[in-house]
């Protein structure tokens, strides 16, 4: 049985051309003119692109006294509805717990996925067990990316000594370090001060995490990663200070990548101020939404290439869950959704405005991600032999985003009322049509785990690694003469 996508324009990260695409047994088997298939999908007027990859989700994650409300079923259904065909979720060990035990929980949850998925792991504590587990996870579980929380003091946060130890171990093993870059000590201080002064509402969340908190932590993580000799991926880059640090590091030849979220690119801090409590609390996430100046910086980064990918950090909580924080903003579960909206929102605000070309859109939503995470060209490509994770994108199709018609299981949408133009006509997950013109035909459990090997070639290209590990010349021996 073959499926042919007919009469579309293939758009990859570097090419645009008219061709039909044949899919058999879940992979692309031929690209060329006038192909015939058992089933034909009409892509007239559409772009045929690699399906989106969302490198940052939290599905059914235990966090701040509750669980995020989208699980692997509803989360991946939302993803497919918006043209995303792979998600990468964070498996979180409890402090003291082995990484392998934590992974078992994520293995169990993910059996319900409608599309392919992979895992990052978080390093939430440090010890001999984690030192050993990292090797096992990288060598036997196909996971090569590890997040370190520099914030959430008293919960997920690790200190600099732990981070440095972990980074050095990852450098040895060919892993990539990831950071949630906010100075957790300063956030804790500012939060306590705001609460003591009677600022209990959701807007205080934004005051407690100013851009400096993120800029400082991003700089620190970059320097520690450089000393450890490990590539660094900075998640949810939201402000100019953090972007500047990443840009500078890249210009110095360091392997550092920044990941802005679609939320930070398109929503700003006015979502917190002069709003009703629910409106603001639903938008509480870390880092918080920023002002226009920071948004411009993020867009500039995507255009220039100093920022590499666009994610969602999809971590959806219902209004009832957000209300845990009535009277104390530090108890509002942090997180927002976006899986279904990332691709249409980025197309609308990126491609339709002329900021990004369609090829750049493919790069930042899919191909760059697959390359950084080391699953290219199985994912992120329209090439013979690649998985048939494809989106047939109709640039003329529009809608108004609304919680009433979304796949996510929560009761609101942070993009409510926003018009988008550019939506999937078809979304294919390994050759299966999961979405056709808004009609959802997903299959629970269809998703498979994507293994990602250690990235040894990237480590070799680091700038200062050799210098730092080279034997040092002995400058001086013996007792210095007096007066020196
Ligand atoms: O507020 C956020 N970002 N919640 C999800 C967890 C994280 O920090 O990524
Ligand atoms: Zn984070
Ligand atoms: Zn996150
Ligand atoms: Zn149709």
């Amino acid at each position: 049985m073959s499926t042919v996508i007919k009469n579309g324009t293939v758009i990859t990260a570097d090419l645009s051309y008219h061709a039909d695409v044949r899919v058999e047994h879940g992979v692309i088997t031929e690209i060329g003119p006038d192909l015939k298939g058992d089933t034909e999908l009409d892509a007239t007027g559409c772009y045929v692109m690699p399906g989106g990859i969302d490198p940052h989700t939290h599905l059914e994650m235990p966090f701040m006294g509750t669980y995020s409300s989208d699980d692997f079923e509803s989360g991946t259904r939302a993803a497919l509805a918006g043209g995303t065909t792979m998600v990468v979720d964070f498996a979180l060990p409890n402090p003291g717990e082995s990484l392998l035990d934590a992974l078992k929980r994520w293995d169990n949850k993910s059996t319900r996925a409608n599309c392919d998925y992979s895992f990052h792991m978080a390093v939430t504590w440090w010890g001999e067990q984690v030192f050993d587990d990292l090797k096992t996870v990288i060598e036997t579980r196909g996971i090569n990316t590890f997040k370190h929380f520099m914030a959430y003091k008293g919960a997920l946060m690790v200190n600099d000594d732990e981070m440095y130890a972990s980074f050095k171990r990852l450098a040895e093993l060919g892993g990539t370090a990831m950071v949630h870059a906010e100075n957790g000590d300063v956030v804790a201080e500012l939060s306590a001060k705001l609460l003591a002064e009677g600022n209990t509402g959701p807007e205080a969340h934004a005051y407690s995490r100013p851009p400096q908190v993120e800029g400082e932590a991003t700089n620190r993580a970059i320097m520690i990663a450089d000393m450890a000799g490990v590539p660094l991926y900075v998640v949810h880059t939201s402000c100019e200070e953090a972007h500047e640090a990443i840009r500078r590091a890249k210009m110095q030849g360091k392997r550092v990548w920044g990941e802005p979220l679609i939320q930070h690119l398109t929503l700003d801090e006015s979502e917190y101020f002069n709003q009703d409590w629910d409106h603001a609390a639903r938008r509480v996430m870390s880092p918080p939404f920023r002002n226009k100046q920071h948004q411009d910086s993020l867009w500039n980064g995507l255009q220039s290439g100093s920022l590499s990918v666009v994610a969602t950090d999809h971590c959806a909580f219902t209004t009832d869950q957000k209300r845990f924080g009535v009277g104390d903003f530090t108890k509002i579960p942090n997180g927002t959704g976006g899986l279904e909206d990332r691709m249409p929102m980025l197309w609308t605000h990126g491609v339709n405005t002329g900021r990004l070309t369609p090829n750049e859109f493919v790069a930042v939503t899919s191909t760059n991600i697959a390359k950084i995470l080391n699953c290219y060209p199985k994912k992120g490509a329209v090439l013979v032999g690649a998985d048939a994770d494809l989106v047939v994108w109709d640039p003329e199709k529009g809608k108004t985003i609304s919680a009433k018609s979304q796949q996510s299981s929560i009761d609101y949408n942070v993009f409510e009322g926003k018009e988008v133009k550019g939506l999937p006509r078809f979304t294919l997950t390994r050759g299966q049509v999961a979405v056709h013109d808004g009609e959802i035909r997903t299959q629970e459990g269809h998703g498979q785990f994507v293994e990602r090997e250690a990235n040894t070639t990237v480590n070799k290209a680091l700038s200062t690694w050799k210098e730092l590990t080279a034997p040092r010349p002995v400058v001086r021996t013996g007792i210095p003469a007096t007066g020196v």
Side-chain angles (χ1 to χ4, degrees):
M1 282 291 286
S2 70
T3 303
V4 170
I5 303 169
K6 286 201 70 75
N7 300 320
T9 302
V10 174
I11 305 274
T12 67
D14 46 19
L15 289 173
S16 312
Y17 58 98
H18 288 278
D20 298 343
V21 178
R22 184 195 305 285
V23 172
E24 284 163 302
H25 308 294
V27 296
I28 297 170
T29 54
E30 193 176 359
I31 304 169
D34 304 319
L35 305 183
K36 300 270 173 285
D38 303 312
T39 306
E40 296 187 346
L41 306 178
D42 178 25
T44 307
C46 289
Y47 298 128
V48 181
M49 309 189 293
I53 302 171
D54 193 330
H56 189 157
T57 69
H58 302 280
L59 302 174
E60 208 182 331
M61 176 177 76
F63 191 46
M64 297 185 74
T66 184
Y67 280 81
S68 59
S69 279
D70 276 317
D71 58 17
F72 275 82
E73 196 288 310
S74 64
T76 55
R77 178 156 38 83
L80 288 164
T84 290
T85 53
M86 175 174 164
V87 301
V88 192
D89 204 76
F90 288 85
L92 264 64
N94 300 317
E97 186 189 29
S98 114
L99 303 195
L100 297 155
D101 286 344
L103 264 181
K104 281 186 203 146
R105 286 197 297 282
W106 261 260
D107 286 338
N108 289 337
K109 293 191 257 200
S110 60
T111 56
R112 301 185 60 209
N114 294 292
C115 68
D116 287 0
Y117 59 93
S118 192
F119 299 142
H120 313 285
M121 286 214 79
V123 172
T124 53
W125 64 288
W126 188 251
E128 223 170 283
Q129 167 101 61
V130 182
F131 183 91
D132 293 341
D133 282 355
L134 283 174
K135 185 173 163 69
T136 314
V137 169
I138 290 176
E139 291 180 357
T140 69
R141 290 302 312 265
I143 295 172
N144 65 17
T145 37
F146 296 85
K147 180 173 178 179
H148 303 71
F149 289 92
M150 300 169 80
Y152 305 127
K153 191 175 179 178
L156 300 169
M157 179 169 140
V158 284
N159 295 321
D160 291 353
D161 55 345
E162 299 171 303
M163 206 163 73
Y164 184 46
S166 176
F167 281 17
K168 281 190 295 185
R169 181 64 169 153
L170 291 174
E172 272 167 20
L173 297 168
T176 293
M178 307 177 99
V179 281
H180 171 132
E182 289 184 302
N183 185 317
D185 290 317
V186 173
V187 170
E189 282 277 325
L190 289 177
S191 300
K193 181 169 185 289
L194 284 157
L195 281 176
E197 290 167 357
N199 296 298
T200 60
E203 66 286 352
H205 173 81
Y207 299 139
S208 74
R209 313 178 98 98
Q212 292 91 326
V213 152
E214 187 183 343
E216 184 282 323
T218 305
N219 272 292
R220 179 158 40 102
I222 289 170
M223 295 302 162
I224 293 176
D226 195 37
M227 289 185 280
V230 74
L232 181 72
Y233 181 111
V234 183
V235 305
H236 47 50
T237 303
S238 78
C239 67
E240 187 165 25
E241 288 81 348
H243 172 207
E244 285 300 308
I246 292 163
R247 194 162 64 110
R248 194 165 52 240
K250 278 175 123 39
M251 289 191 320
Q252 292 165 345
K254 293 173 185 154
R255 293 281 162 170
V256 177
W257 301 283
E259 173 207 76
L261 307 181
I262 190 62
Q263 295 92 318
H264 289 117
L265 287 162
T266 59
L267 300 171
D268 65 35
E269 63 184 5
S270 64
E271 302 285 346
Y272 301 120
F273 308 131
N274 300 314
Q275 302 280 1
D276 64 68
W277 195 96
D278 281 345
H279 182 103
R282 286 162 170 170
R283 286 149 181 88
V284 161
M285 66 168 302
S286 298
F289 299 158
R290 308 292 193 190
N291 68 24
K292 184 86 178 51
Q293 178 195 328
H294 296 291
Q295 281 190 327
D296 285 345
S297 174
L298 299 182
W299 280 109
N300 291 345
L302 287 179
Q303 287 177 236
S304 67
S306 53
L307 297 173
S308 308
V309 309
V310 177
T312 63
D313 193 5
H314 188 97
C315 187
F317 296 102
T318 63
T319 305
D320 283 345
Q321 289 176 306
K322 291 285 186 179
R323 287 181 185 163
F324 294 169
V326 171
D328 179 352
F329 71 89
T330 65
K331 302 214 158 48
I332 302 171
N334 285 202
T336 58
L339 261 172
E340 187 170 349
D341 310 309
R342 178 182 66 132
M343 303 271 281
M345 282 294 285
L346 190 71
W347 187 272
T348 302
H349 295 273
V351 179
N352 292 347
T353 57
R355 280 163 165 155
L356 300 176
T357 66
N359 309 88
E360 287 166 348
F361 174 87
V362 170
V364 300
T365 57
S366 185
T367 307
N368 288 355
I369 300 165
K371 287 179 180 172
I372 295 167
L373 301 187
N374 212 14
C375 57
Y376 182 86
K378 175 181 169 66
K379 302 295 186 189
V382 183
L383 284 175
V384 170
D387 281 358
D389 277 8
L390 295 165
V391 60
V392 177
W393 193 258
D394 185 344
E396 295 303 322
K397 196 168 141 76
K399 71 169 185 184
T400 306
I401 293 176
S402 169
K404 289 197 181 76
S405 51
Q406 73 185 6
Q407 301 302 318
S408 165
S409 59
I410 64 169
D411 57 317
Y412 63 91
N413 185 310
V414 295
F415 303 112
E416 184 75 29
K418 298 253 186 283
E419 306 282 339
V420 288
K421 192 169 166 221
L423 284 167
R425 181 181 291 176
F426 299 101
T427 310
L428 283 79
T429 157
R430 269 181 294 103
Q432 277 193 26
V433 175
V435 176
H436 175 201
D437 274 334
E439 184 200 321
I440 307 296
R441 305 178 189 168
T442 50
Q443 187 196 326
E444 186 175 326
H446 166 79
Q448 292 178 356
F449 181 75
V450 178
E451 288 194 11
R452 301 177 295 110
E453 282 178 11
N455 218 338
T456 44
T457 50
V458 165
N459 281 1
K460 289 192 187 120
L462 277 165
S463 60
T464 54
W465 181 73
K466 277 208 184 80
E467 234 175 86
L468 281 165
T469 51
R472 282 181 184 67
V474 175
V475 183
R476 194 160 54 179
T477 55
I479 300 160
T482 46
V484 175

